[in-house]
Amino acid sequence: MYIPPQKERYSKAALGTLLLCVIIPPAVILYLKGITDLFDISLAFTLPLALFFQTLCVPPGAATWLSFILQVFLFILLACRTNWTPKTRMTVAITWGMISALAVKIIIPCITS
């Protein structure tokens, strides 16, 4: 049985996989907390930064857009980073998504009460 080396296994990490590693974990947390609106679930990854920007007196809609634009910029930097190995990029994307999910889990009781 052929077991590919580590470099070959992680070389197939596509842009979509990196994107899903960032977006899916906070969306799952919102869904499990009972929020079923598809729009809210799809923008769950923007929630932690948007709430931070709202504490800095930015209006809620502008805070969400600012969070979205900042995270898109950071994702493009992550995806286009040529001197990082695919494994490093995948690890950063998974860590980013999990930290975002943890932040959403901490924020939800503050929002709903």
Side-chain angles (χ1 to χ4, degrees):
M1 182 168 82
Y2 173 70
I3 299 174
Q6 188 176 27
K7 186 174 183 178
E8 187 177 328
R9 282 191 307 240
Y10 287 101
S11 67
K12 307 260 186 225
L15 184 68
T17 305
L18 292 176
L19 187 63
L20 290 176
C21 287
V22 173
I23 293 177
I24 294 297
V28 168
I29 296 295
L30 275 185
Y31 180 75
L32 292 176
K33 290 292 185 173
I35 298 173
T36 56
D37 184 26
L38 189 60
F39 184 72
D40 291 339
I41 290 175
S42 65
L43 290 177
F45 70 100
T46 64
L47 188 60
L49 275 178
L51 192 61
F52 172 73
F53 289 138
Q54 285 180 14
T55 60
L56 299 176
C57 297
V58 177
T64 303
W65 274 104
L66 188 60
S67 172
F68 180 78
I69 291 169
L70 180 65
Q71 290 197 38
V72 165
F73 176 72
L74 291 174
F75 182 78
I76 290 170
L77 283 178
L78 172 69
C80 296
R81 194 76 182 189
T82 57
N83 59 348
W84 284 1
T85 64
K87 180 181 178 184
T88 304
R89 279 186 253 153
M90 182 67 76
T91 303
V92 169
I94 290 171
T95 304
W96 180 3
M98 289 298 150
I99 288 173
S100 180
L102 177 64
V104 167
K105 189 170 184 164
I106 291 170
I107 290 170
I108 284 182
C110 299
I111 294 174
T112 57
S113 60

